[in-house]
Amino acid sequence: MINSGLHRGIKSLSSVTLVFRLPYYTRWGQSLLVCGSEPALGSWNVKQGLALGPSHEGDELIWCGKVAVSVGFTCEYSYYVVDDSRNVLRSEAGKNRRLTLPDGVREGAVVEIHDLWQEASETLFFRSAFKDVIFSGGRKCLAAADESSKELEKILDQQDSIIVQFMIRCPKVKDGASVHVIGSASELGKWKPHDGLKLRYAGDFTWKAECALKKYEFPLKYPFFPFFLEILMITFELFFLTDGFHYCHAHQMKDPSLELGPNRELAVDFESSHPPNYVILADGPYRAVPWRGAGVAIPMFSVRSSDDLGVGEFLDLKLLVDWAVECGFHLVQLLPVNDTSVHGMWWDSYPYSSLSVFALHPLYLRVQALSENIPEDIKEEISRAKEQLDKKDVDYEATMAAKLSIAKRLFNLEKSKILNSNSFKNFLSENENWLKPYGAFCFLRDFFETSDHTQWGRFSHFSSEKLEKLVSEDALHYDVICFHYYIQYHLHVQLSEAADYARKKKVVLKGDLPIGVDRNSVDTWVYPNLFRMNTSTGAPPDYFDKNGQNWGFPTYNWEEMSKDNYAWWRARLTQMAKYFTAYRIDHILGFFRIWELPDHAVSGLVGKFRPSIALSQEELEREGIWDFNRLSQPYIRQDILQEKFGTFWTVIASNFFNEYQKLCYEFKDDCNTEKKIIAKLKSMTEMSLWLEKEDKIKKDLFDILQNIVLIRDPEDPRKFYPRFNIEDTSSFKNLDEHSKNVLKRLYYDYYFCRQENLWRQNAMKTLPVLLNSSDMLACGEDLGLIPSCVHPVMQELGLIGLRIQRMPSEPDAEFGIPSQYSYMTVCAPSCHDCSTMRAWWEEDEGRRCRYYKSVVGCNDMPPPRCTTEVAYFIIQQHMQAPSMWAIFPLQDLLALREEYTTRPAVEETINDPTNPKHYWRYRVHVTLDSLMLDKDLKTIIKDMVLGSGRSDPVNETNVSSSEKKLMEKVEEKISAVQINGNT
């Protein structure tokens, strides 16, 4: 236990004594300290912070510490959980606390500071999604007067009184509201709402007020109350109970104002040698019914409007926001919108393979908005393109070609005007760190006809000197560079316009942060040291793909990234926050550990986690495992080849294998990796050796190549990793029983036990940097094979998880139960990585019957199609879930109306994770303009939103007419409210 600072620098009558108090339950070996910006609190050096000591007060463990400071002292501070060596084990969430001693506090005074630990979940409502969007209108508050310093001095001179400063954080307040506190003391109205203490707004959704209380009035009991339009919003059956609880009897009120839970209490030890003259009571957040909202998810490219050119465009978001508001939605979620123009073909439709993590995608440009003076011939070209590209699905290549062609013509006409404008110059100046490398990369990509920068000769290796020459105004190709600047400038202007519009409408625009970048990207060219270029990123076998996934991105060099405190990540989040107020962290598991594959792999099965604690050769040898070549090389016997290839096996063997001993085979050097197998098959197909069998042969050869038990570490041959699902391999099945038992035990230990502390530590290094890089609300995609450390870390950091009903987090469940989801989640019936709600319902009859019986609660045969009634049931389930957010793919919402279900359900799927070359091209078959006219659909959705108690953007901060009528009636009754609950 650390006690050295409990009475640091206490001097009688020559300074002010601060007493810090914090209730907190610690574990064995843990202590608390307070550290802050001033020397008295360690100058942010935790090793020098003020140690707190514990004492039991009733059921609570209170940590206290004293320190002497000068009159007028001010500082920022925070609490930390530390071990005996003062290593930080846990930090408070949110912004640092700020302390300023009031002017009336004089030398010799004792100021007691009562704090509560700041949990991450409490700070979410101070993120931009809430403070700048959803609750942005709630700061036009009714003021309360400050106590003057002279009045405070008079009170401090009185021996029978102390001053208490009440302070509460209350982000959800309507226009014209004020916050009051009432309680048992006379200054708090003796439980009479009209006579309570009115708090003043102090910024950052914090309200505070001071009052003098008589010592005999302690212990004090009190709750907080927001008042609306100077009227306490309260139902007729309000009770104050003598057991210390109060509640609102009409639980179905949309916006109850009474604070939930037991009355707050303040006890002060006036018998101590130095009782406080002044108490600062930081009561944390206002205890209200948990806020819940709803939203819609749709990829930008999938949106269809009457104005677009073959694909959804940033300016279409304004119409989508209008539709969302009329449905009662507070959020619009998109897939990544960064430039993916790596290959110059439809492969670039994959939105998670970024060419640049900073640049926006030209696909989403509205060419009609590039100029106010578009010549008639270009207008005609736009009209022809609109007609030609108005297809069922996105034609990626044709759309990109048309937009860039039109944009190029307009650029040539107006480049001088645009490039010399102040707004463009400001944009270039503010973004040149990424924009100049991006422009140079695009020029070199087109010049060399490849994004593979290793093929760029002397430009293969990036340098600032080469960059400045490439983007010099004197360069012959400068216009080409400027064209890329021009496109990015207009994309920025258009997305900014849409983002500002969403904020004004109280709609959160939620972006997506991809886990990786393309191997041939601006980022790997400029910062090659930040990536492990000889590796590939993916995911182990899971719900999405039983064979695992290989996304092709290089894994991150976290050790190198940490040297500048993850500056690349911080810049990336800062850029994203210019447009979005919330974001989804793609594959958040990658910040704990990533599934790393060798760069010669094509599939995602034979990988290992990085970081991870490997099985050492010494460890294996102690267990009697010694034949490492047998275990780590493909196990190939003649009977395996005969079983796989039948009578054709001799042809396969002669082309792909060497027989190194009787009946035992190994791959030839020219086909001993997955990429080599593909290359060899292509060359042999050209020779017409076999035509229709290539896919089957490739799959079987991959199976044989993956027929191993252990993966040898390519960087340390004495380290090994168990191959995923080793028991499925014939290599494992042909081992002796002792080896099988040992390897099964070590397999379980590797995947489910030994890594947990390491992975937690890794996440706690990286994720806080992301969260602190912006004010955006962060949600983590935590689907797949989930280590046990993930959810506790997400909870500690205030990260909102994702729940998809068909992918329950409970290991033995087939379907999730939305009513049992935790609050810190986003719930949804489907997502872009799986089939839609309609397709899921229709694709598996057995599963459909089980769902109908166990979830719907009906023993009848379910309808074979996802009827509007089925869609309503599933969506309503999610609306009513406790989750903070219910976000629905637009396709699932359209299933509520029969007329929108004529298209085959399978065609509405956005991505097939089992296909690495999937074409991302789905477009909604109805325009946003038409949806705006569909009052029936909007009414159905809004009724579900409001009926489930979720927030409505129309009435979030404005008092509705029904509420005003209620308050008028309440005003007549409010004088009858008494402490015993009699009216």
Side-chain angles (χ1 to χ4, degrees):
M1 194 65 65
I2 304 172
N3 293 302
S4 60
L6 297 184
H7 300 81
R8 178 181 293 176
I10 303 299
K11 299 179 182 178
S12 177
L13 299 180
S14 61
S15 59
V16 176
T17 300
L18 299 183
V19 181
F20 292 91
R21 290 173 51 91
L22 182 82
Y24 190 93
Y25 284 101
T26 54
R27 297 177 180 177
W28 180 258
Q30 295 180 343
S31 298
L32 262 74
L33 60 79
V34 58
C35 187
S37 57
E38 297 301 310
L41 297 180
S43 299
W44 291 123
N45 181 352
V46 174
K47 301 288 186 182
Q48 301 299 319
L50 173 67
L52 308 181
S55 63
H56 286 277
E57 295 184 11
D59 295 333
E60 291 187 314
L61 183 64
I62 308 295
W63 291 80
C64 299
K66 299 181 180 181
V67 65
V69 300
S70 60
V71 173
F73 179 78
T74 181
C75 75
E76 292 185 354
Y77 69 98
S78 188
Y79 293 95
Y80 298 86
V81 179
V82 297
D83 61 19
D84 289 339
S85 301
R86 294 204 171 197
N87 298 309
V88 176
L89 303 176
R90 190 183 180 200
S91 305
E92 283 192 291
K95 294 181 179 179
N96 296 323
R97 302 169 185 267
R98 183 162 186 82
L99 171 66
T100 299
L101 290 183
D103 294 337
V105 176
R106 297 175 297 182
E107 290 187 355
V110 176
V111 178
E112 204 166 83
I113 303 164
H114 292 233
D115 283 325
L116 297 174
W117 182 270
Q118 291 183 166
E119 297 287 353
S121 58
E122 298 170 3
T123 68
L124 296 185
F125 297 102
F126 300 90
R127 293 281 180 176
S128 58
F130 290 101
K131 71 173 184 177
D132 297 332
V133 182
I134 295 174
F135 301 150
S136 60
R139 279 164 281 186
K140 299 174 183 176
C141 309
L142 300 172
D146 285 313
E147 293 278 2
S148 70
S149 59
K150 289 184 178 180
E151 290 173 337
L152 290 179
E153 289 179 16
K154 290 179 183 178
I155 296 170
L156 287 171
D157 286 336
Q158 300 174 14
Q159 297 300 312
D160 64 339
S161 300
I162 68 168
I163 293 174
V164 176
Q165 182 187 87
F166 293 91
M167 186 160 52
I168 187 77
R169 300 197 307 274
C170 189
K172 187 190 175 190
V173 176
K174 299 191 176 188
D175 284 347
S178 61
V179 179
H180 294 230
V181 56
I182 67 170
S184 55
S186 57
E187 290 292 325
L188 303 184
K190 289 284 186 179
W191 297 113
K192 296 179 181 178
H194 275 154
D195 297 330
L197 178 66
K198 185 176 183 179
L199 280 62
R200 65 186 181 277
Y201 184 63
D204 287 335
F205 297 111
T206 300
W207 278 257
K208 61 173 64 174
E210 299 81 15
C211 72
L213 299 176
K214 301 295 184 182
K215 293 182 179 179
Y216 65 78
E217 295 182 303
F218 288 84
L220 180 70
K221 294 186 177 182
Y222 61 97
F224 291 93
F225 292 84
F227 276 57
F228 299 97
L229 302 177
E230 292 285 34
I231 302 170
L232 177 63
M233 188 175 176
I234 185 172
T235 56
F236 304 147
E237 299 180 75
L238 171 67
F239 295 85
F240 294 102
L241 304 182
T242 55
D243 64 359
F245 283 82
H246 55 273
Y247 64 93
C248 181
H249 185 72
H251 295 292
Q252 298 304 314
M253 285 182 62
K254 184 176 79 70
D255 196 2
S257 62
L258 294 176
E259 192 172 33
L260 300 180
N263 289 325
R264 300 176 187 263
E265 295 188 26
L266 172 63
V268 177
D269 184 7
F270 293 112
E271 303 301 322
S272 68
S273 56
H274 297 287
N277 313 91
Y278 200 107
V279 174
I280 297 176
L281 199 53
D283 267 320
Y286 176 79
R287 300 189 305 237
V289 173
W291 184 95
R292 294 155 62 243
V296 59
I298 187 72
M300 190 71 260
F301 58 80
S302 297
V303 171
R304 187 188 294 269
S305 78
S306 60
D307 292 325
D308 69 50
L309 204 70
V311 71
E313 298 165 347
F314 287 145
L315 289 177
D316 288 327
L317 289 172
K318 295 169 71 174
L319 194 55
L320 181 58
V321 163
D322 286 339
W323 183 80
V325 169
E326 295 195 19
C327 290
F329 289 148
H330 257 307
L331 182 145
V332 169
Q333 177 172 325
L334 305 176
L335 293 188
V337 293
N338 294 113
D339 192 358
T340 58
S341 307
V342 175
H343 305 283
M345 58 178 294
W346 66 263
W347 288 1
D348 295 336
S349 67
Y350 181 25
Y352 288 89
S353 188
S354 305
L355 177 82
S356 166
V357 298
F358 299 100
L360 298 171
H361 206 308
L363 186 68
Y364 306 127
L365 184 71
R366 175 156 295 168
V367 293
Q368 302 97 306
L370 293 180
S371 173
E372 296 178 353
N373 303 300
I374 300 177
E376 285 301 319
D377 60 329
I378 297 181
K379 287 183 179 178
E380 292 174 5
E381 183 180 352
I382 292 172
S383 296
R384 289 194 299 272
K386 277 175 60 68
E387 184 177 351
Q388 293 167 0
L389 296 171
D390 187 20
K391 302 177 180 180
K392 182 177 72 171
D393 296 309
V394 176
D395 186 334
Y396 181 90
E397 294 173 21
T399 302
M400 280 291 288
K403 291 197 173 194
L404 291 177
S405 172
I406 294 167
K408 191 64 173 288
R409 291 185 66 185
L410 290 170
F411 171 74
N412 289 333
L413 289 173
E414 297 192 343
K415 63 184 175 184
S416 178
K417 174 185 173 182
I418 296 296
L419 300 183
N420 289 308
S421 67
N422 288 332
S423 58
F424 176 82
K425 289 179 179 178
N426 290 336
F427 172 75
L428 180 59
S429 174
E430 292 171 4
N431 296 276
E432 62 180 355
N433 286 343
W434 67 264
L435 188 57
K436 286 184 176 180
Y438 169 79
F441 186 98
C442 291
F443 166 72
L444 292 170
R445 173 200 61 196
D446 298 341
F447 180 83
F448 288 102
E449 298 183 336
T450 178
S451 290
D452 183 356
H453 41 80
T454 64
Q455 306 299 312
W456 290 354
R458 65 188 183 92
F459 294 109
S460 295
H461 299 286
F462 175 86
S463 73
S464 299
E465 293 77 15
K466 294 176 186 176
L467 175 65
E468 289 306 316
K469 290 180 180 179
L470 280 167
V471 301
S472 168
E473 293 184 15
D474 298 328
L476 293 175
H477 57 263
Y478 185 63
D479 271 6
V480 178
I481 299 286
C482 283
F483 176 66
H484 298 295
Y485 295 168
Y486 167 85
I487 294 292
Q488 288 301 310
Y489 165 71
H490 280 288
L491 287 165
H492 163 72
V493 169
Q494 293 180 16
L495 182 53
S496 295
E497 180 181 333
D500 290 342
Y501 187 82
R503 289 188 185 97
K504 290 175 183 176
K505 292 286 188 174
K506 300 193 180 302
V507 172
V508 173
L509 203 56
K510 182 180 177 184
D512 197 320
L513 184 74
I515 186 61
V517 301
D518 198 276
R519 186 175 304 278
N520 299 316
S521 65
V522 181
D523 301 278
T524 58
W525 180 52
V526 178
Y527 308 107
N529 58 316
L530 301 184
F531 304 90
R532 290 169 52 82
M533 297 299 291
N534 63 337
T535 66
S536 187
T537 303
D542 57 14
Y543 176 92
F544 296 109
D545 193 335
K546 64 180 182 179
N547 294 313
Q549 299 175 64
N550 185 341
W551 302 321
F553 316 133
T555 57
Y556 294 119
N557 186 342
W558 290 111
E559 295 79 6
E560 191 67 27
M561 287 181 162
S562 68
K563 292 179 181 178
D564 59 5
N565 194 28
Y566 309 95
W568 181 78
W569 282 102
R570 288 186 284 112
R572 188 177 176 185
L573 269 294
T574 300
Q575 181 73 10
M576 195 174 184
K578 292 179 180 178
Y579 314 109
F580 301 101
T581 49
Y583 67 107
R584 167 188 177 272
I585 302 175
D586 176 43
H587 193 63
I588 197 172
L589 305 182
F591 293 91
F592 293 78
R593 82 296 184 270
I594 199 71
W595 187 245
E596 186 176 75
L597 301 146
D599 62 349
H600 55 69
V602 175
S603 69
L605 184 61
V606 185
K608 62 182 177 64
F609 286 124
R610 180 178 179 86
S612 65
I613 302 169
L615 308 178
S616 68
Q617 184 167 321
E618 293 77 14
E619 178 183 8
L620 290 163
E621 287 173 345
R622 285 196 301 270
E623 298 280 2
I625 305 297
W626 54 271
D627 193 351
F628 300 109
N629 285 335
R630 154 72 176 83
L631 296 171
S632 62
Q633 295 296 324
Y635 181 76
I636 312 171
R637 299 295 182 264
Q638 183 173 307
D639 62 319
I640 294 175
L641 297 178
Q642 290 173 330
E643 181 183 347
K644 285 283 186 187
F645 303 106
T647 58
F648 204 54
W649 82 268
T650 55
V651 178
I652 296 293
S654 64
N655 281 279
F656 291 91
F657 301 99
N658 293 321
E659 187 176 14
Y660 64 90
Q661 67 181 53
K662 188 173 179 58
L663 305 181
C664 298
Y665 293 80
E666 64 183 4
F667 277 96
K668 294 183 176 182
D669 289 342
D670 65 347
C671 55
N672 60 3
T673 71
E674 291 176 351
K675 286 186 177 178
K676 288 181 179 180
I677 288 174
I678 291 174
K680 186 163 186 174
L681 281 171
K682 283 184 177 180
S683 67
M684 299 179 78
T685 302
E686 291 168 4
M687 295 186 299
S688 301
L689 185 61
W690 44 69
L691 294 174
E692 299 178 358
K693 299 180 180 179
E694 182 179 342
D695 288 341
K696 172 69 166 59
I697 292 170
K698 182 185 75 172
K699 180 184 180 302
D700 290 340
L701 289 173
F702 276 19
D703 287 346
I704 294 171
L705 189 66
Q706 296 162 355
N707 190 23
I708 58 176
V709 174
L710 297 176
I711 301 168
R712 192 187 292 267
D713 193 316
E715 298 171 12
D716 186 345
R718 297 182 66 82
K719 290 182 178 179
F720 298 88
Y721 308 89
R723 179 243 202 233
F724 203 89
N725 290 340
I726 55 171
E727 293 184 59
D728 294 344
T729 68
S730 59
S731 179
F732 177 86
K733 293 173 182 176
N734 283 313
L735 292 172
D736 61 89
E737 288 304 314
H738 169 76
S739 296
K740 286 182 184 178
N741 291 332
V742 168
L743 289 167
K744 279 195 290 187
R745 175 165 47 81
L746 292 176
Y747 174 92
Y748 185 85
D749 182 55
Y750 174 83
Y751 281 103
F752 303 106
C753 297
R754 69 167 63 189
Q755 319 295 348
E756 295 294 329
N757 286 335
L758 174 65
W759 290 344
R760 172 186 165 81
Q761 292 168 8
N762 199 52
M764 293 303 288
K765 291 177 185 176
T766 55
L767 285 174
V769 175
L770 264 69
L771 300 178
N772 294 330
S773 297
S774 77
D775 255 355
M776 292 185 290
L777 180 69
C779 307
E781 183 264 291
D782 54 346
L783 304 175
L785 184 67
I786 310 295
S788 60
C789 63
V790 170
H791 289 151
V793 167
M794 291 181 67
Q795 182 177 0
E796 184 173 338
L797 296 179
L799 280 159
I800 302 170
L802 176 61
R803 299 293 176 268
I804 304 294
Q805 188 171 28
R806 70 188 74 173
M807 302 176 227
S809 53
E810 299 79 11
D812 298 326
E814 184 176 13
F815 311 112
I817 308 298
S819 63
Q820 297 176 4
Y821 293 159
S822 65
Y823 177 65
M824 290 287 289
T825 57
V826 171
C827 68
S830 70
C831 66
H832 67 274
D833 273 332
C834 60
S835 55
T836 61
M837 180 177 68
R838 273 207 309 142
W840 176 80
W841 181 267
E842 296 169 8
E843 66 194 8
D844 188 324
E845 181 182 359
R847 182 182 62 199
R848 180 169 66 240
C849 292
R850 294 191 299 274
Y851 181 92
Y852 206 59
K853 181 176 182 180
S854 63
V855 180
V856 180
C858 184
N859 290 319
D860 297 338
M861 283 297 293
R865 291 182 63 251
C866 182
T867 63
T868 56
E869 292 79 12
V870 169
Y872 187 94
F873 174 85
I874 296 174
I875 291 173
Q876 181 78 341
Q877 264 194 318
H878 290 78
M879 285 287 191
Q880 294 177 342
S883 303
M884 177 186 287
W885 288 101
I887 301 177
F888 303 92
L890 182 56
Q891 306 95 299
D892 292 351
L893 294 170
L894 294 180
L896 291 167
R897 293 270 283 156
E898 185 72 29
E899 64 189 84
Y900 299 134
T901 62
T902 55
R903 185 173 182 175
V906 69
E907 292 183 4
E908 294 182 333
T909 299
I910 293 168
N911 177 38
D912 175 7
T914 66
N915 179 9
K917 293 300 181 185
H918 177 75
Y919 195 168
W920 298 61
R921 62 186 313 197
Y922 166 73
R923 292 193 78 192
V924 179
H925 54 287
V926 58
T927 65
L928 289 175
D929 314 72
S930 298
L931 287 178
M932 285 296 293
L933 298 175
D934 188 341
K935 294 181 180 179
D936 291 340
L937 177 62
K938 291 186 291 186
T939 300
I940 291 169
I941 296 171
K942 186 156 187 174
D943 285 349
M944 281 197 283
V945 172
L946 298 181
S948 64
R950 293 191 177 272
S951 177
D952 172 17
V954 175
N955 294 315
E956 181 59 57
T957 58
N958 298 314
V959 179
S960 67
S961 58
S962 60
E963 289 172 332
K964 288 180 180 178
K965 290 179 181 178
L966 173 63
M967 288 188 283
E968 290 171 1
K969 294 180 181 178
V970 169
E971 191 175 30
E972 299 172 3
K973 298 284 186 179
I974 200 167
S975 59
V977 177
Q978 298 178 358
I979 191 168
N980 293 324
N982 300 317
T983 59

